[in-house]
């Protein structure tokens, strides 16, 4: 864009114009025109709507949407290479840091925020630092290296809000501790230790929606948690709905504007990888008797879901993209990530992109994240 004549516009007018931009890319280009435009537009815009998710493959390659489809070309994210990515939330990736502790990383702004160290977890009895290496002594007397510890400690983390230090929100992180998957951990931005609680059941998934945390366990219970303190508010039994499905299952919780969804993914594992056979989606309501009432949905309406073990989210469909009633997911087989969309209305599956596994990735991972400039 030619920047000649830009200085004829006042800063107030430029600032107003910037608030009508709706995508990260348009906003970045606006601030790149000239110094005056950059000063007029807030560096951390709060007005931008949720962006279409990107797909982080093997913790280092990014696959993004193109015009009503998906770009088959991937882009390297060097800052995450060689690191374990536990999850994504509110546009931030949850990574292991230089000392194998946990950090939040915004891949757009390059901002990093440290979470409490792994040494503050209750099952860590001691840690030994030798040069650049760390060793952790855990319950039972076993000793883990830093690399082993990152695979052992945390399964997933979700955030209550954007953790940006300039934000007034007091962001809370909720974690499934992978050591037993029956321990839930909490911390606030700036805390130095994790607060943990044992739920006495294997936790499949967690999410945050409308001011509350939710956890789903293998006893077919959903527990509701306060996001102001690590205290369970209520636990609701779902009955035998999960036991009635005979296939191998993955279970996800997804917060939407219409309430909480539980997504059941039926998969087939083999020597060559994982293939998804079908999805079932339930809207979960809660009654005063302590029961969760799952109602199966045949249609998603004007929305699409993006599901995976490290992050699942709901997005509105705009002019047919992402697709109405579409469930976007990633299978992995024959050394390739295979991005697909499942139509909940008719059960049809379409392959959207295939990407070879990154040579240094172990194990292969695929994580949805929504880019954020704040």
């Amino acid at each position: 864009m030619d920047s000649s004549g830009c200085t004829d516009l006042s800063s107030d007018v430029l600032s107003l114009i910037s608030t009508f931009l709706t995508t990260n890319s348009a906003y970045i280009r606006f601030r790149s025109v000239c110094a005056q435009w950059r000063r007029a537009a807030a560096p951390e815009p709060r007005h931008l709507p949720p962006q279409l998710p990107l797909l982080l493959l093997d913790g280092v390659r990014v696959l993004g949407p193109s015009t009503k489809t998906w770009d088959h070309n991937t882009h390297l994210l060097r800052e995450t290479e060689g690191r374990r990515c536990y999850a994504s939330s509110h546009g931030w990736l949850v990574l292991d840091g230089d000392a194998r502790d946990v950090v939040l990383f915004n891949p757009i702004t390059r901002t990093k925020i440290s979470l409490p160290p792994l040494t503050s977890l209750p099952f860590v009895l001691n840690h030994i630092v030798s040069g650049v290496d760390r060793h952790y002594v855990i319950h039972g007397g076993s000793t883990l290296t830093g690399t082993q510890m990152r695979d052992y400690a945390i399964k997933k983390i979700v955030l209550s809000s954007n953790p940006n230090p300039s934000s007034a929100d007091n962001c809370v992180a909720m974690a499934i501790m992978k050591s037993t998957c029956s321990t839930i951990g909490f911390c606030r931005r700036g805390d130095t230790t994790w607060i943990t609680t044992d739920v006495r059941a294997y936790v499949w998934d967690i999410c945050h929606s409308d001011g509350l945390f939710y956890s789903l366990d293998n006893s077919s219970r959903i527990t509701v948690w306060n996001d102001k303190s690590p205290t369970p508010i209520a636990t609701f039994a779902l009955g035998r709905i999960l036991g009635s499905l005979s296939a191998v299952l993955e279970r996800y919780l997804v917060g939407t504007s219409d309430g909480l969804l539980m997504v059941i993914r039926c998969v087939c594992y083999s020597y060559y990888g994982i293939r998804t056979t079908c999805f079932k989606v339930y809207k979960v309501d809660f009654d005063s008797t302590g029961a969760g009432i799952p109602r199966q949905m045949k249609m998603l309406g004007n929305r699409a879901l993006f599901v995976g073990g490290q992050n699942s989210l709901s997005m509105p469909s705009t002019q047919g993209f992402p697709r109405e009633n579409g469930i976007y997911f990633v299978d992995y087989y024959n050394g390739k990530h295979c991005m697909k969309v499942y139509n909940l209305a008719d059960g049809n599956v379409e392959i959207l992109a295939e990407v070879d596994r990154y040579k240094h990735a172990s194990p292969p991972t695929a994580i949805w994240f929504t880019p954020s400039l704040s």
Side-chain angles (χ1 to χ4, degrees):
M1 181 185 294
D2 184 358
S3 62
S4 61
C6 294
T7 54
D8 293 337
L9 299 175
S10 69
S11 295
D12 289 342
V13 172
L14 290 170
S15 178
L16 178 62
I17 293 172
S18 71
T19 63
F20 288 92
L21 303 175
T22 59
T23 65
N24 285 341
S25 58
Y27 199 86
I28 290 171
R29 287 195 295 268
F30 183 93
R31 297 190 77 239
S32 301
V33 171
C34 63
Q36 183 189 12
W37 286 40
R38 185 163 55 253
R39 288 192 299 267
E44 297 176 0
R46 303 294 183 185
H47 72 279
L48 292 177
Q51 305 294 293
L52 284 171
L54 305 178
L55 184 61
L56 180 65
L57 297 173
D58 299 328
V60 68
R61 291 187 298 181
V62 178
L63 182 69
S66 183
T67 305
K68 296 200 174 184
T69 183
W70 291 82
D71 187 355
H72 284 59
N73 297 315
T74 59
H75 309 277
L76 290 179
L77 190 60
R78 292 297 185 187
E79 291 89 342
T80 60
E81 187 170 10
R83 303 185 185 278
R84 168 60 58 87
C85 186
Y86 299 105
S88 73
S89 187
H90 292 277
W92 294 67
L93 303 176
V94 185
L95 308 171
D96 62 335
D98 294 330
R100 296 303 186 208
D101 287 332
V102 183
V103 299
L104 304 177
F105 173 64
N106 187 321
I108 305 300
T109 66
R110 270 39 183 192
T111 304
K112 292 182 180 179
I113 300 172
S114 295
L115 293 182
L118 299 180
T119 52
S120 70
L121 295 173
F123 53 80
V124 178
L125 304 179
N126 192 14
H127 77 288
I128 304 166
V129 180
S130 176
V132 297
D133 295 327
R134 284 193 177 195
H135 293 80
Y136 298 82
V137 181
I138 61 174
H139 278 310
S142 299
T143 300
L144 303 180
T145 65
T147 300
Q148 291 171 330
M149 186 64 180
R150 74 177 187 178
D151 296 335
Y152 176 83
I154 294 174
K155 176 184 176 183
K156 179 178 180 178
I157 292 178
V158 296
L159 306 175
S160 63
S161 60
N162 191 316
N164 192 315
S166 65
S167 171
D169 292 335
N170 195 356
C171 175
V172 178
M174 181 186 194
I176 304 174
M177 300 304 175
K178 196 174 183 180
S179 55
T180 62
C181 286
S182 64
T183 301
I184 296 292
F186 293 89
C187 71
R188 293 183 182 275
R189 185 182 59 203
D191 283 354
T192 57
T193 59
W194 288 94
I195 299 173
T196 60
T197 183
D198 190 353
V199 296
R200 303 184 183 278
Y202 184 95
V203 179
W204 279 104
D205 199 16
I206 54 178
C207 79
H208 183 271
S209 179
D210 198 23
L212 296 169
F213 285 112
Y214 297 89
S215 62
L216 172 67
D217 64 42
N218 66 346
S219 296
S220 296
R221 299 177 305 179
I222 290 181
T223 302
V224 185
W225 304 78
N226 193 330
D227 69 355
K228 301 296 188 295
S229 64
T231 305
I233 298 174
T235 298
F236 298 91
L238 297 177
R240 298 184 55 81
I241 183 171
L242 299 184
S244 66
L245 300 172
S246 59
V248 178
L249 308 175
E250 297 289 341
R251 306 155 173 86
Y252 311 113
L253 293 177
V254 187
T256 75
S257 58
D258 297 324
L260 184 69
L261 301 183
M262 179 176 64
V263 180
I264 306 299
R265 178 180 179 181
C266 303
V267 298
C268 178
Y269 291 97
S270 71
Y271 172 80
Y272 300 100
I274 175 176
R275 291 178 184 267
T276 300
T277 57
C278 70
F279 284 92
K280 296 182 182 295
V281 179
Y282 300 86
K283 186 177 186 298
V284 182
D285 296 316
F286 306 101
D287 66 18
S288 58
T289 67
I293 306 171
R295 295 184 173 88
Q296 187 170 358
M297 302 175 65
K298 299 297 185 181
M299 304 279 286
L300 294 174
N302 188 32
R303 73 158 66 95
L305 302 180
F306 296 79
V307 299
Q310 279 67 46
N311 188 28
S312 298
L313 50 98
S314 169
M315 296 290 293
S317 177
T318 303
Q319 296 181 346
F321 186 75
R323 299 181 191 177
E324 292 185 4
N325 297 310
I327 302 177
Y328 291 80
F329 65 100
V330 180
D331 280 343
Y332 178 82
Y333 49 84
N334 291 334
K336 293 180 180 291
H337 296 282
C338 190
M339 179 182 167
K340 303 177 181 179
V341 59
Y342 177 91
N343 188 314
L344 186 63
D346 59 22
N348 287 332
V349 179
E350 181 181 344
I351 298 175
L352 302 177
E354 290 186 325
V355 180
D356 290 335
R357 176 181 176 181
Y358 190 65
K359 58 183 177 180
H360 300 305
S362 180
T365 58
I367 299 175
W368 300 107
F369 74 97
T370 51
S372 172
L373 290 175
S374 61

